[in-house]
Amino acid sequence: MSLTPAYQHKLAEKLTILNDRGQGVLIRMYNIKKTCSDPKSKPPFLVEKSMESSLKYINKKFPNIDVRNSTQHLGLVHREKTEIIRFLTNYYQSFVDVMEFRDHVYELLNTIDACQCHFDINLNFDFTRSYLDLIVTYTSVILLLSRIEDRRILIGLYNCAHEMVHGHSDASFARLGQMVLEYDHPLKKLTEEFTPHTKAVSGALLSLHFLFVRRNQGAEQWRSAQLLSVISTPPAMINPANSDTMACEYLSMEVMERWIIIGFLLCHGCLNSNSQCQKLWKLCLQGSLYITLIREDVLQVHKVTEDLFSGLKGYGKRVADIKESKEHAIANSGQLHCQRRQFLRMAVKELGSVLTDEPGLLGPKALLAFMALSFIRDEVTWLVRHIENVTKTKTPEDYADINIAELLFLLEEIRALVRRHIKVIQQYHLQYLARFDALVLSDIIQNLSVCPEEESIIMSSFVSTLSSLNLKQVVDNGEKFEFSGLRLDWFRLQVYTSVTKAPLHLHENPDLAKVMNLIVFHSQMLDSVEKMLVETSDLSIFCFHLRVFEKMFAMTLEEPAMLRYAIAFPLICAHFVHCTHEMCPEEYPHLKNHGLHHCNSFLEDLAKQTSNCVLEICAEQRNLSEQKLLPKHCATTISKAKNKKTMKQRQIPRKGEPERDKPGAESHRKNRSIVTTMDKLHLTLTELALTMNHVHSFSVFEHTIFPSEYLSSHLEARLNRAIVWLAGYNAPTQEIVRPSELLAGVKAYIGFIQSLAQFLGADASRIIRSALLQQTQPLDSSGEQTITTLYTNWYLESLLRQASSGAIILAPAMQAFINLPREGEQNFSAEEFSDISEMRALAELLGPYGMKFLSENLLWHVTSQIVELKKLVVENMDVLVQIRSNFSKPDLMASLLPQLIGAENVLKRMTIIGVILSFRAMAQEGLREVFSSHCPFLMGPIECLKEFVTPDTDIKVTLSVFELASAAGVGCDIDPALVAAIANLKADTSSPEEEYKVACLLLIFIAVSLPLLATDPSSFYNIEKDGYNNNIHCLTKAIIQVSAALFTVYNKNIETHLKEFLVVASVSLLQLGQETDKLKTRNRESISLLMRLVVEESSFLTLDMLESCFPYVLLRNAYREVSRTFHLNRVPASTH
C-alpha cells in the first residue's frame, strides 16, 4: 500500500474516536446487564407472569421468529406493542451500537494490517496504546454482551413489536440476531476473528516486555533502586526526573496486564511459536488472578484461559503453564502486593514531605509525583478486585490491609500538592519547552536524513509553537494553554512513520521519539494536569465495590493509628464523577447518589466518633470539676482538719465512704508508661481532629462539602443531649440536679470545647451559642425536651406544688423557700433549689428566653386560679355588692359575712397565686443580676428608661417600657406579662363593665375574708423567717400585682381601688378586735401585720394612707406581741 493512503486513512483520528465510542458502548452494555440482573429495575415486560410464555417462545425461536403466524404465543406482545417499543428502544439501539462498533473496529484493524504498521510502546506510545486499548475494549464489549442473559429476549421482543407496528422487521435485526448467535461462545469466535491480526498484536505486546518486567518488580527491588526518592542523591535533587519513555513510567500495570492477557487470549498462536511471547504471558499470569473488564465485571484469568486452551490441540503445555502460574499467583501475589503497599506508604510519605517542604521541586520532579499516584492506584485497584473475589486463601491478611487508609490519604495528599502548586509546575515546564525542548527538537529535525513534506510541516509547527512560549503567559496573564492539537499531530506523525513503506521510519530515529515523548509530557504539565491526575490516580472503581469501600472504612475507624487518614474515604467519593460517560446519561443520577450518600455517611461517622470523643473528655472534665472542686466537697476536708486537732489517732472512715482524692491527684504519675483514660481519649481526639481539619471543603459531583459542618452539627446535637443528661431529671421520682451544679458542669463542658476551637476546625463559639440558645427554648432542634422545660416542670410540679400544699414555705428573711418538717413528703431541700445563688444559676442557664417560658407557665397557673376566683365572686355577687356598700356597719356585716360561700377557698387560691408570683419575682431578680453582670451597658439604659415612666404616661407606652424592663429582670409596678395573661381571659358572655365589677368585688371578697386567717394556728408571724408558716405573707404580692394587672386591663385607677381594699380590710380587722371568741382571734396580731406588708409591697400605697384607716399604734402593739410570744415559745426549747 502506498504512503498516500496512510495519510488519507486518518488512523490516529479513527483510533481516538473509536476508543471513546467503545468506552461508551461498553458502559451501555454494563448498564443493560446491571439493569436486567435486578428484578426491581428490569423492564416491566420481563417480570410479568402473563408475558412469560411469549418470552420463552421468543427466546426459543430467536432469531427466526414468525410474528404473523404466532398470534397464539405473541398475543400479549401485540396488545402491548407500543409500550414495548417505547421501553426497549434504548436497549435495542445499544445492541445496534455494538454491531456498528464491531464493524468499524474490524474495518480499522484490517486497514492497520494492510498498512503493515510497526508498534513499539517505547517509540510510538500513543499509536500502540490506542491500538491495544481498542482491542481490549472491543473484547470487553463482546464478553459483556454475552453475559447479558436476556439479550435474545430484549432484541427479539423489540423486533416483534416493531414488526407488529410497522409491518416489517427492523433493518438491523437480521445482522444483529446473527451476531448475537455467533457470540454465544465469545472467546472461540473472537480468536477466529483475530487470527489474521496475530502479527500486529503480538508485535505490539512484545514491545511491552522490557517495560512490564521493569515495572513488575517486588518491594525489595524498588527499595534498592531508591524508587520515588528525591533525597537519595542530594546533588541531583534539582535535576529533572526524565525518561526516554515518559508516559510508560506512569502507565497503569492493570492496563498492561489487560493488554497482555486479552491480547494473547485472542492471538494465542504466537505462544507456541515465540518464546518471548510465552515468557511475557507467563509472567503476566503470575501477577493477578482477576483483571477488570469494566467496573466490577472481571475476567477470571486462569479459568477462562484454561477453558479456552483445553479445547485446542497442541496446547497441553500451555494448560500446564496456566496451572503452574495460578498456583504461583495464589501463593505469592498477595504477599508481593502487600509488600509493595508497605513500601509505597514509606516512599510516598517521604516524597510528600519533601515536596510539601520544597514545592519548587514539583517542577523537576513532577514525573515522580505522577508515578507515585499511578503506583498507589495500581496497588489499591489490585487489592479491591481481589479482595472482592478471592474468598479462600491461606494468607487472608494479605487481602485485608488495615493500613489502606494511609495509602489513600497519601494519594489525596499528592493530588492536593499538585493542584496547589500548579503555577510552579507550569512555570518550570513552560521554560523547559521553550528553552530546551524546542532547541533539541530543532536540532533533531535538521539532522534527519529524510523528511517528507507532510512530516516536515508537522515538525516545524512543533518547533514554532514551543519557541513562541513566554513566561509572562503564566506569571502575568495566567493564560490557559491548549496543546491538544500538538499532541494529536504527534499521534498522526507516529502513524505516518510507523507504516512499512514510510520514507521516514520512527524506529530508525529513536531520538525523535524520545524528545517528542518528553515534549508531550511537558505540554501536559501546562494544559492537562487535571486530566493527568484522573489518568494516574482515579479510584472511581470504589463506586462499584461499595461493600469493600465500607469495610475498609470500618477497619480504619477501628485502628487508632489510622484515624488521621480517614478523611481520604470521603475525598475519594469525589472520584466517582470520572466514571460517567456522555453515552450513558441515565446512570449519572445513580452514580451521583452513590457518591453523595457514601461521602455523607463517612463524614457522619467521623463526625459522630469525634463528637463522642469530645463529649467523653467533657464528661471526664465535668467529673473532675464536680467531684473535687464544688464547694460542698470542702466540708469533709474541713471536718478532718478540725478532728485532727482534737483526736490523737487518725479517724477511720466509715464503710461506704471512699477516701476522696484531692484536686490534682489525677495528674500524679508513678510511671511515665502509665496511660490513663484521658490520655487515650486525647490521643484519639488528636487523630480525629487531624482528619476532620485536613480540608476546608471539597466537591462531590456539583455539591461542595464542608467536613467541619458535619462535626458542628453532631457536636451541637451531642452537647444538647449532654446538657439535658447533666440535669439528671427523673420524672417518676421528680429528682433533678441543682441549677448551680448543672451550671458548673455546663461550664466544664463549654470550657473544654472552647479550648478545642483551633484544633477541630469547627466554629466552637457557634456550636456553644447554638446549643445554649436551644436550651432556652421548650424543645431543641431535634424536638427533644430542654433544661428549660425540665426545670419549668420541676419547679411547678415539685417545689411550687408542695409550697401550695404548705409543705414548703417562703422565708423572705432568707430569700428562699424552705421545708417544713412533715412526714410523707419528698425529701429534697427546697432552700438548695431556690436561694439567691440557685436563682442566678437558673437564670444563667435558661437565659431571658427560658425565663420567659418559665414565667409564661407560672402565669398560666395564676390565670387558672383567677378564673376560679371570678367564679366564686360571681357566685357571691349579691352579698358582695351589699358588703361593699355597708362594710362600715357592724350589725349588717355580722349578718352578711356568714352568707359568703368559699371565703377560705378565696384566701387559699390567692395564697397560691402569691406563692407563684413570689417565686417568679425571685427568678426575675436572679435574671436581673445575671443580666447586669453580662450586659451592664444595656441594664443602665433600661433602668433609666423605666424611671421616666410616670402615672400620667400613656398606658401602652408604660406597658412597652415595662415589658422591656421585665425581660431584663427589672421589677415593675405593673406586671406586663400578667396584664397580657389576664387580658386573654376575657369572657365571651360578660361585658367589660361586668368584668370590672367582678374585679372590684374580688378585692372586697379578699378584704372581708382576711379575719378568717386568724383562726389558723399556722397564721402566726415568725420573726426569724419574716413570714408565716402557711405562706399567707404571699397574699400581699398576689393582692397588689393581680389588682394592678386587672385594673390596667380595664383602664381604671389602681390606687383608688387599692385604697378601697385598704379601708375595707382595715375595718374587717378592726371589727375582729370586738370578737369575743378566742379561737377566732387567736392570731389577730399576726394577721394585723399583713396590712403593713400590703403597703410595703405596693408603690401605689403609703403608710399615711394606712394610718388614716388602720392606726399605726395597733401595728406597733402587734409587732411587740408577736415578738414576745415568739421568744416565750423558744424558752422551753432552749431549757430542754
Side-chain angles (χ1 to χ4, degrees):
M1 181 175 283
S2 65
L3 181 60
T4 308
Y7 297 133
Q8 294 174 349
H9 286 312
K10 299 189 181 296
L11 299 183
E13 291 86 340
K14 288 181 179 178
L15 280 169
T16 304
I17 294 167
L18 273 181
N19 269 313
D20 181 61
R21 178 79 175 174
Q23 277 301 312
V25 171
L26 182 57
I27 288 172
R28 289 212 61 81
M29 287 299 101
Y30 167 86
N31 193 47
I32 291 173
K33 176 178 174 287
K34 194 84 172 172
T35 304
C36 292
S37 61
D38 185 0
K40 293 179 182 176
S41 58
K42 260 187 176 183
F45 313 105
L46 302 189
V47 290
E48 288 178 10
K49 274 283 182 185
S50 56
M51 291 286 284
E52 196 173 329
S53 59
S54 301
L55 298 180
K56 283 182 179 177
Y57 176 78
I58 290 169
N59 194 40
K60 182 180 177 183
K61 296 292 183 180
F62 183 87
N64 303 313
I65 306 163
D66 188 354
V67 176
R68 294 178 183 177
N69 299 323
S70 304
T71 49
Q72 180 183 351
H73 299 287
L74 302 176
L76 282 169
V77 177
H78 189 275
R79 192 184 312 158
E80 302 285 341
K81 57 183 181 291
T82 310
E83 283 296 300
I84 289 172
I85 288 176
R86 188 171 68 84
F87 266 97
L88 298 186
T89 298
N90 280 344
Y91 292 87
Y92 184 81
Q93 290 303 324
S94 297
F95 290 119
V96 172
D97 286 343
V98 172
M99 184 177 70
E100 291 176 353
F101 176 64
R102 170 178 174 262
D103 295 342
H104 290 300
V105 168
Y106 280 125
E107 181 187 345
L108 183 57
L109 291 178
N110 290 331
T111 304
I112 290 171
D113 278 355
C115 290
Q116 298 180 14
C117 296
H118 173 264
F119 294 102
D120 187 338
I121 197 74
N122 302 300
L123 298 176
N124 51 9
F125 176 84
D126 298 303
F127 191 26
T128 305
R129 182 180 65 175
S130 298
Y131 179 71
L132 292 173
D133 275 345
L134 185 64
I135 292 169
V136 167
T137 302
Y138 170 65
T139 306
S140 302
V141 168
I142 298 301
L143 289 174
L144 219 59
L145 171 67
S146 67
R147 294 182 181 186
I148 300 171
E149 294 180 1
D150 297 321
R151 60 189 180 280
R152 293 188 179 195
I153 293 173
L154 290 169
I155 296 168
L157 185 60
Y158 175 85
N159 187 64
C160 289
H162 185 280
E163 191 168 338
M164 290 171 182
V165 172
H166 300 286
H168 57 83
S169 293
D170 182 76
S172 306
F173 176 70
R175 288 187 64 227
L176 187 57
Q178 188 59 38
M179 184 190 79
V180 169
L181 288 181
E182 286 174 358
Y183 290 114
D184 273 347
H185 302 287
L187 283 174
K188 187 178 178 182
K189 177 66 176 173
L190 284 168
T191 53
E192 292 173 6
E193 291 174 344
F194 269 85
T195 303
H197 311 303
T198 300
K199 183 181 177 182
V201 174
S202 61
L205 294 176
L206 276 176
S207 71
L208 293 169
H209 193 281
F210 176 75
L211 173 64
F212 188 76
V213 171
R214 179 165 62 84
R215 290 283 304 279
N216 194 31
Q217 293 177 340
E220 281 306 316
Q221 288 96 325
W222 283 359
R223 197 170 285 110
S224 60
Q226 295 287 308
L227 189 69
L228 301 178
S229 177
V230 177
I231 57 177
S232 58
T233 51
M237 277 182 70
I238 60 171
N239 293 352
N242 284 340
S243 162
D244 291 342
T245 52
M246 294 291 278
C248 294
E249 301 307 320
Y250 52 83
L251 180 60
S252 169
M253 279 293 293
E254 184 189 0
V255 168
M256 285 195 281
E257 285 181 344
R258 203 181 298 137
W259 289 345
I260 294 166
I261 295 297
I262 292 178
F264 285 129
L265 201 60
L266 301 180
C267 305
H268 50 75
C270 58
L271 293 175
N272 286 334
S273 58
N274 191 318
S275 61
Q276 288 299 315
C277 290
Q278 196 181 119
K279 284 179 185 177
L280 179 60
W281 174 67
K282 284 177 69 176
L283 182 63
C284 191
L285 285 177
Q286 291 171 2
S288 297
L289 297 167
Y290 299 88
I291 59 168
T292 304
L293 292 177
I294 173 75
R295 297 173 177 175
E296 78 270 28
D297 269 288
V298 295
L299 192 68
Q300 198 170 347
V301 175
H302 302 87
K303 183 180 184 303
V304 169
T305 314
E306 187 178 343
D307 290 347
L308 179 65
F309 288 4
S310 297
L312 301 174
K313 290 182 180 180
Y315 280 80
K317 289 184 179 180
R318 300 293 78 77
V319 171
D321 289 339
I322 293 167
K323 291 178 179 177
E324 182 187 336
S325 300
K326 183 179 180 181
E327 289 172 8
H328 183 277
I330 292 171
N332 301 307
S333 64
Q335 183 66 23
L336 173 77
H337 287 277
C338 183
Q339 290 171 357
R340 281 185 186 173
R341 292 194 299 274
Q342 288 173 2
F343 168 79
L344 285 172
R345 275 195 290 274
M346 300 304 297
V348 179
K349 188 185 289 184
E350 178 194 290
L351 178 65
S353 300
V354 173
L355 294 179
T356 303
D357 191 50
E358 294 292 341
L361 288 173
L362 265 171
K365 302 298 181 184
L367 178 63
L368 293 185
F370 289 104
M371 286 171 64
L373 293 174
S374 178
F375 292 172
I376 293 174
R377 187 267 320 275
D378 284 340
E379 293 309 314
V380 171
T381 53
W382 185 94
L383 182 64
V384 168
R385 68 178 183 270
H386 282 79
I387 201 173
E388 185 86 323
N389 295 292
V390 176
T391 51
K392 294 179 182 178
T393 175
K394 292 180 181 178
T395 55
E397 65 277 2
D398 293 338
Y399 298 93
D401 192 346
I402 59 172
N403 300 315
I404 192 68
E406 184 176 1
L407 210 53
L408 299 177
F409 180 84
L410 290 170
L411 178 133
E412 288 295 333
E413 271 287 84
I414 299 294
R415 283 166 61 97
L417 266 174
V418 171
R419 287 194 179 111
R420 193 179 311 133
H421 301 294
I422 193 166
K423 290 287 184 188
V424 173
I425 296 172
Q426 286 182 333
Q427 286 181 36
Y428 180 86
H429 287 94
L430 183 138
Q431 294 177 79
Y432 207 124
L433 283 166
R435 298 179 185 178
F436 180 81
D437 291 337
L439 301 176
V440 173
L441 180 60
S442 179
D443 289 344
I444 290 173
I445 293 171
Q446 289 173 12
N447 293 329
L448 289 175
S449 56
V450 179
C451 190
E453 183 184 355
E454 184 74 20
E455 285 84 336
S456 177
I457 293 169
I458 291 174
M459 287 190 282
S460 298
S461 71
F462 291 164
V463 175
S464 61
T465 302
L466 300 181
S467 302
S468 64
L469 292 174
N470 192 317
L471 192 58
K472 289 183 179 179
Q473 291 174 279
V474 176
V475 179
D476 298 337
N477 306 332
E479 186 177 319
K480 287 189 176 180
F481 297 97
E482 180 56 62
F483 290 101
S484 56
L486 181 146
R487 290 191 288 272
L488 183 56
D489 279 344
W490 167 231
F491 191 176
R492 291 188 182 110
L493 193 60
Q494 291 175 51
V495 174
Y496 301 159
T497 56
S498 299
V499 178
T500 304
K501 294 182 180 179
L504 176 65
H505 287 285
L506 197 59
H507 63 87
E508 293 174 356
N509 297 278
D511 289 342
L512 176 62
K514 289 174 187 176
V515 75
M516 281 309 302
N517 285 333
L518 196 62
I519 288 170
V520 165
F521 177 76
H522 293 165
S523 70
Q524 288 174 324
M525 293 300 97
L526 289 179
D527 69 342
S528 303
V529 171
E530 197 59 42
K531 288 181 182 176
M532 286 282 288
L533 288 175
V534 174
E535 182 186 337
T536 54
S537 61
D538 176 38
L539 287 176
S540 56
I541 187 173
F542 278 117
C543 188
F544 310 99
H545 293 275
L546 294 172
R547 188 171 55 182
V548 174
F549 201 28
E550 291 164 1
K551 189 178 177 183
M552 285 178 173
F553 180 71
M555 281 196 305
T556 300
L557 292 187
E558 291 168 7
E559 189 65 30
M562 289 294 111
L563 286 174
R564 65 171 60 192
Y565 307 120
I567 191 65
F569 290 91
L571 291 175
I572 283 168
C573 294
H575 296 208
F576 293 2
V577 72
H578 302 312
C579 56
T580 58
H581 197 281
E582 59 186 9
M583 280 186 67
C584 195
E586 60 266 32
E587 69 173 5
Y588 184 87
H590 303 295
L591 298 176
K592 180 178 176 180
N593 288 340
H594 281 314
L596 290 172
H597 169 74
H598 280 80
C599 177
N600 182 62
S601 172
F602 294 148
L603 285 172
E604 287 283 351
D605 287 346
L606 284 172
K608 183 179 178 182
Q609 191 153 335
T610 307
S611 59
N612 286 346
C613 189
V614 170
L615 268 295
E616 282 181 38
I617 297 175
C618 286
E620 289 288 331
Q621 295 282 3
R622 176 250 181 182
N623 288 339
L624 291 173
S625 170
E626 185 185 70
Q627 294 173 8
K628 299 181 181 181
L629 299 179
L630 284 183
K632 65 180 182 181
H633 295 311
C634 68
T636 312
T637 308
I638 294 169
S639 175
K640 284 181 181 177
K642 190 176 180 182
N643 289 335
K644 279 182 181 177
K645 295 178 182 178
T646 56
M647 298 178 65
K648 292 181 181 178
Q649 295 181 348
R650 190 178 177 183
Q651 193 174 5
I652 302 168
R654 296 178 186 175
K655 284 187 177 180
E657 291 184 7
E659 190 76 21
R660 190 180 292 276
D661 292 332
K662 290 184 179 179
E666 70 280 352
S667 299
H668 295 166
R669 307 285 178 95
K670 292 181 179 179
N671 189 335
R672 288 175 66 89
S673 63
I674 296 172
V675 180
T676 64
T677 305
M678 284 287 271
D679 293 336
K680 293 175 183 175
L681 288 171
H682 275 103
L683 182 61
T684 304
L685 182 58
T686 304
E687 300 291 314
L688 288 166
L690 282 171
T691 202
M692 291 304 292
N693 207 16
H694 179 66
V695 290
H696 176 257
S697 65
F698 61 96
S699 296
V700 177
F701 287 80
E702 300 92 13
H703 295 255
T704 302
I705 309 295
F706 294 87
S708 58
E709 290 302 312
Y710 287 81
L711 180 57
S712 297
S713 62
H714 270 272
L715 266 178
E716 187 182 305
R718 282 301 309 275
L719 185 58
N720 270 319
R721 291 201 295 272
I723 292 172
V724 171
W725 174 78
L726 287 175
Y729 182 63
N730 188 330
T733 60
Q734 284 295 303
E735 293 176 358
I736 201 166
V737 169
R738 291 168 61 184
S740 59
E741 291 183 12
L742 174 60
L743 182 61
V746 169
K747 283 182 175 178
Y749 271 63
I750 289 171
F752 180 72
I753 291 173
Q754 281 177 327
S755 71
L756 293 177
Q758 58 184 326
F759 305 109
L760 288 179
D763 189 345
S765 299
R766 192 190 77 188
I767 293 166
I768 293 165
R769 281 199 308 271
S770 179
L772 293 181
L773 189 60
Q774 286 183 50
Q775 290 303 313
T776 67
Q777 305 299 315
L779 300 174
D780 62 19
S781 57
S782 57
E784 300 294 326
Q785 286 189 335
T786 61
I787 56 172
T788 294
T789 303
L790 299 182
Y791 275 105
T792 298
N793 291 342
W794 187 86
Y795 276 107
L796 282 167
E797 298 300 324
S798 292
L799 192 141
L800 293 178
R801 187 178 289 277
Q802 290 195 40
S804 302
S805 65
I808 292 173
I809 65 166
L810 173 66
M814 301 170 68
Q815 294 188 39
F817 284 88
I818 60 173
N819 298 73
L820 286 180
R822 287 190 182 183
E823 293 183 4
E825 298 293 344
Q826 291 187 12
N827 55 355
F828 70 89
S829 172
E831 186 179 354
E832 290 184 357
F833 288 87
S834 60
D835 65 13
I836 295 172
S837 61
E838 297 303 326
M839 290 296 103
R840 287 177 189 158
L842 184 69
E844 189 139 4
L845 286 167
L846 304 193
Y849 288 119
M851 296 302 279
K852 184 183 179 188
F853 178 77
L854 173 64
S855 178
E856 287 170 353
N857 277 270
L858 292 171
L859 292 179
W860 182 86
H861 286 271
V862 168
T863 52
S864 300
Q865 297 296 336
I866 291 174
V867 169
E868 296 303 318
L869 286 168
K870 285 184 175 181
K871 289 178 182 176
L872 288 169
V873 170
V874 171
E875 192 177 348
N876 294 281
M877 179 79 77
D878 297 335
V879 179
L880 288 171
V881 169
Q882 293 181 54
I883 289 174
R884 189 181 186 187
S885 306
N886 303 293
F887 65 87
S888 58
K889 300 174 182 176
D891 299 335
L892 192 57
M893 287 291 288
S895 62
L896 289 172
L897 287 174
Q899 296 179 33
L900 289 174
I901 302 168
E904 294 86 355
N905 198 358
V906 168
L907 293 172
K908 179 67 177 172
R909 291 188 183 279
M910 283 300 289
T911 304
I912 291 171
I913 291 173
V915 168
I916 294 172
L917 292 177
S918 297
F919 174 76
R920 180 167 176 267
M922 291 164 64
Q924 287 290 97
E925 179 61 23
L927 175 62
R928 188 191 68 78
E929 292 186 19
V930 171
F931 196 83
S932 297
S933 170
H934 285 300
C935 307
F937 50 88
L938 274 179
M939 183 57 85
I942 290 173
E943 290 177 335
C944 183
L945 188 62
K946 176 179 171 285
E947 294 300 322
F948 276 101
V949 174
T950 64
D952 300 328
T953 309
D954 182 75
I955 191 63
K956 289 183 179 179
V957 175
T958 301
L959 288 176
S960 298
V961 173
F962 282 177
E963 188 175 356
L964 172 64
S966 183
V970 179
C972 303
D973 298 337
I974 302 170
D975 189 336
L978 185 57
V979 170
I982 292 173
N984 292 330
L985 291 177
K986 290 180 180 178
D988 298 331
T989 52
S990 55
S991 63
E993 290 77 14
E994 289 178 5
E995 289 290 315
Y996 167 62
K997 183 180 178 182
V998 168
C1000 295
L1001 294 177
L1002 174 60
L1003 283 183
I1004 300 298
F1005 204 164
I1006 297 166
V1008 298
S1009 302
L1010 287 178
L1012 296 176
L1013 295 171
T1015 60
D1016 188 349
S1018 300
S1019 294
F1020 179 76
Y1021 183 78
N1022 188 320
I1023 60 173
E1024 276 189 345
K1025 297 169 185 170
D1026 192 20
Y1028 302 81
N1029 284 351
N1030 57 359
N1031 279 324
I1032 58 172
H1033 51 285
C1034 297
L1035 269 172
T1036 59
K1037 188 173 283 294
I1039 292 164
I1040 298 303
Q1041 291 204 11
V1042 170
S1043 301
L1046 282 170
F1047 296 118
T1048 300
V1049 170
Y1050 305 129
N1051 201 17
K1052 302 295 180 182
N1053 188 283
I1054 300 167
E1055 185 179 325
T1056 305
H1057 292 86
L1058 284 176
K1059 280 182 182 176
E1060 182 184 14
F1061 167 80
L1062 211 57
V1063 171
V1064 176
S1066 299
V1067 170
S1068 299
L1069 290 174
L1070 289 172
Q1071 288 174 357
L1072 189 63
Q1074 300 172 4
E1075 183 65 53
T1076 56
D1077 189 346
K1078 288 187 178 181
L1079 283 175
K1080 291 183 179 180
T1081 61
R1082 178 189 295 177
N1083 289 314
R1084 185 184 64 190
E1085 289 80 9
S1086 293
I1087 300 305
S1088 299
L1089 297 180
L1090 283 174
M1091 300 303 291
R1092 171 67 182 265
L1093 296 179
V1094 168
V1095 174
E1096 287 178 350
E1097 181 66 37
S1098 173
S1099 62
F1100 300 100
L1101 301 174
T1102 63
L1103 285 174
D1104 290 338
M1105 293 178 188
L1106 179 62
E1107 179 70 24
S1108 65
C1109 55
F1110 195 86
Y1112 192 78
V1113 65
L1114 295 177
L1115 288 175
R1116 187 170 63 247
N1117 292 338
Y1119 270 120
R1120 186 174 64 245
E1121 183 61 29
V1122 165
S1123 180
R1124 188 179 66 82
T1125 307
F1126 178 77
H1127 287 296
L1128 283 174
N1129 289 339
R1130 291 190 64 181
V1131 171
S1134 57
T1135 356
H1136 286 301

